Amino acid sequence: MAGFAPTAPPAMPISLYNSLSRRLEPFAPLDPNRVTLYLCGPTVYNYVHIGNARGPVVFDVLVKLLRRHYPQVVYARNITDVDDKINAAALEQGVAIGSITSRFAQAYREDMAGLGIAPPDVEPHATAHIGQIIEMIQALIRGGHAYEAQGHVLFDVAAYPTYGALSGRDTDELIAGARVEVAPYKRNPTDFVLWKPSTPELPGWDSPWGRGRPGWHIECSAMSAAHLGETIDIHAGGVDLLFPHHENEIAQSTCAHGGKVFARWWMHNGMLTFDGRKMSKSLGNVLHVHALLKMHPHEALRLLLLRGHYRQPLDWSDAAIAQAISTLDGWYRVLRELSGIELDGTQPLPVPERLEAALCDDLNTPQALAELSVLADAARQAPSPATKAALLGGGAVLGLLQQDPEAWFKQAGGSEVDAGQVEALLEERRAARAARDFARADAIRNELTSMGVVIEDGAQGTRWSVAKH
């Protein structure tokens, strides 16, 4: 909204929960001049649902926090564009695989931008890294950590004794009840695929083991190493990826790179549920981001995804989105009342210290939002350039309060109503009232109400807004 970025507050330590150590740890990057973060991105075969957006929203706040504290942050979020789900979608629709992946990769970028998420510094595609993937698999074979069997190459879990450290389960537990694919060519049930053969109708690349394609897990390890280095500071993703995906990434990356630590911090966001139930196609409760952006203001979606602590589950409901809209209405109402207070656009917005402290404490967005409410109260009670700047600065670090207040109140769902039509009706209503034709004035009010427009008559004239609930 204001057109200028927030400035960094006084330096303060950042603490982040590490899923690997299972404790909160003071964050200290391997190289303070180059912080590295990798977030597992989408498999692009369909539109993403709102649950898929929680991680990108949460870690967007983290990346912005890190950028305020360190001179360089390299943030990678990959695109998985080779996968059996993609193959199935292409066969079902009778189109080339590339048409599926390019369409939905672009849709994903647009959805993320629609939620106010800044693009990553690096967006590696799996199909552009086949050479690096093959080289990593060859290194694993040379080191005795992988083997070839029936056209497949598999990671030998028995050759990595600390397998299971991230998920906290030993191999017997994993065999008994986890998502383990059983196949006759495996030495052990927990061994996982690094490379698999492709039949003629499937995508494939020449390799030392024949024409084939990579397994899912090896893709992220190769792309991360290619762009961020063999050891990275933070690896993030949804808690549903903790096993087997992230567990397997640790095993293959560590072994391929001579025992080097792969990721120093592992961060996992909790799952999003729908009225207390898991989102799934079978339950018919999958809410796609591109559809929700047409129904609700994007900042309301973002606020909902930030209102719970990122490590905890979060429930989506109609009441929750209505509450998010109501909260933003209140904050934007304060900013509308402060519209006459000008800020110096040459100066960066401040980052309120208490709000920043909340984010430095393991990305405590619920506390940060509480601090934003305090700032809104302060701006309402003591209007000034300082209190207005603090409110806008606090909103900016969370990706909120980025719109002009009048534009906020005049949008319906994710789009704006015809402001010209509304203003014409209001002008006609003003004329009717001046002529004491109150019946016509009331009829116009009713017409506006039917359009979802709420009008408020006050000392400063008539203001209007759109009911978003």
Side-chain angles (χ1 to χ4, degrees):
M1 169 189 161
F4 40 99
T7 186
M12 58 182 71
I14 298 174
S15 294
L16 300 172
Y17 184 84
N18 191 340
S19 298
L20 183 60
S21 66
R22 296 172 185 78
R23 62 175 182 263
L24 193 67
E25 298 176 354
F27 179 69
L30 191 65
D31 178 0
N33 293 314
R34 185 178 182 268
V35 180
T36 51
L37 187 152
Y38 186 97
L39 174 64
C40 284
T43 299
V44 285
Y45 67 98
N46 202 342
Y47 293 108
V48 294
H49 62 70
I50 190 65
N52 302 135
R54 190 183 187 193
V57 167
V58 163
F59 296 117
D60 178 62
V61 174
L62 174 61
V63 169
K64 290 171 180 172
L65 172 70
L66 293 172
R67 293 195 197 282
R68 291 194 296 277
H69 289 252
Y70 295 96
Q72 183 186 19
V73 176
V74 185
Y75 168 39
R77 186 185 69 206
N78 74 290
I79 296 287
T80 295
D81 57 350
V82 54
D83 184 87
D84 289 344
K85 291 178 180 177
I86 297 171
N87 301 338
L91 288 172
E92 180 182 343
Q93 298 177 36
V95 298
I97 286 168
S99 68
I100 294 286
T101 57
S102 60
R103 173 190 174 191
F104 288 111
Q106 183 58 28
Y108 179 78
R109 296 184 195 103
E110 292 172 359
D111 285 349
M112 297 303 101
L115 291 169
I117 298 168
D121 300 301
V122 185
E123 188 189 64
H125 287 54
T127 55
H129 294 76
I130 299 300
Q132 292 95 326
I133 290 169
I134 290 173
E135 289 175 7
M136 181 172 279
I137 294 172
Q138 289 175 314
L140 290 168
I141 293 174
R142 288 194 301 270
H145 296 102
Y147 60 93
E148 183 181 0
Q150 298 182 26
H152 295 73
V153 180
L154 298 108
F155 184 87
D156 186 0
V157 169
Y160 183 60
T162 57
Y163 187 83
L166 180 63
S167 58
R169 293 175 284 185
D170 61 30
T171 52
D172 290 337
E173 287 182 276
L174 300 177
I175 292 170
R179 294 153 54 189
V180 171
E181 179 188 0
V182 177
Y185 47 78
K186 289 185 176 185
R187 292 178 183 172
N188 300 292
T190 51
D191 294 351
F192 55 90
V193 172
L194 302 172
W195 189 265
K196 52 190 171 184
S198 291
T199 50
E201 76 278 6
L202 294 176
W205 292 263
D206 292 333
S207 80
W209 319 286
R211 182 178 179 275
R213 60 196 191 279
W216 174 35
H217 312 298
I218 193 70
E219 297 170 7
C220 285
S221 286
M223 289 186 284
S224 176
H227 295 281
L228 303 182
E230 294 179 353
T231 297
I232 65 174
D233 290 308
I234 301 171
H235 196 310
V239 69
D240 57 320
L241 298 180
L242 193 147
F243 182 86
H245 186 50
H246 290 166
E247 193 79 74
N248 292 351
E249 279 191 73
I250 291 175
Q252 63 204 9
S253 293
T254 303
C255 293
H257 299 139
K260 291 181 181 177
V261 171
F262 171 39
R264 301 172 66 245
W265 266 263
W266 286 88
M267 298 182 68
H268 294 93
N269 62 274
M271 301 297 289
L272 192 71
T273 56
F274 182 88
D275 282 331
R277 306 170 76 188
K278 181 181 178 181
M279 284 191 184
S280 71
K281 291 180 181 178
S282 62
L283 293 174
N285 61 4
V286 172
L287 303 173
H288 290 127
V289 173
H290 80 285
L292 289 171
L293 285 169
K294 297 174 183 177
M295 298 165 57
H296 306 292
H298 82 272
E299 288 192 8
L301 300 175
R302 189 177 175 98
L303 174 57
L304 191 154
L305 294 174
L306 293 174
R307 69 182 178 88
H309 193 280
Y310 78 91
R311 287 192 280 120
Q312 300 303 316
L314 181 66
D315 193 52
W316 171 284
S317 67
D318 291 342
I321 190 66
Q323 179 59 51
I325 292 170
S326 178
T327 298
L328 286 162
D329 279 347
W331 293 340
Y332 272 112
R333 195 167 289 114
V334 173
L335 289 173
R336 186 166 66 176
E337 294 300 324
L338 301 180
S339 59
I341 297 177
E342 296 291 334
L343 299 183
D344 183 354
T346 65
Q347 297 299 313
L349 291 168
V351 176
E353 192 167 341
R354 289 172 64 88
L355 194 152
E356 185 80 348
L359 296 179
C360 288
D361 181 16
D362 194 30
L363 217 61
N364 190 341
T365 55
Q367 183 59 41
L369 290 167
E371 296 295 340
L372 193 59
S373 289
V374 171
L375 294 169
D377 289 341
R380 182 176 59 253
Q381 294 166 12
S384 71
T387 57
K388 180 178 181 179
L391 176 56
L392 287 171
V397 301
L398 296 168
L400 303 173
L401 304 181
Q402 300 296 288
Q403 299 182 50
D404 178 88
E406 291 301 330
W408 167 264
F409 285 109
K410 293 174 182 178
Q411 64 182 348
S415 60
E416 293 189 4
V417 300
D418 186 342
Q421 181 185 6
V422 174
E423 291 292 351
L425 286 169
L426 287 176
E427 182 58 36
E428 185 180 348
R429 178 174 176 267
R430 280 190 286 270
R433 293 180 73 189
R436 304 186 66 79
D437 186 354
F438 298 115
R440 179 57 185 152
D442 288 344
I444 294 171
R445 176 189 281 272
N446 292 338
E447 183 178 353
L448 289 165
T449 299
S450 69
M451 294 167 58
V453 174
V454 177
I455 60 175
E456 303 173 44
D457 295 316
Q460 298 178 332
T462 301
R463 282 177 168 169
W464 63 275
S465 61
V466 178
K468 305 179 186 68
H469 301 53

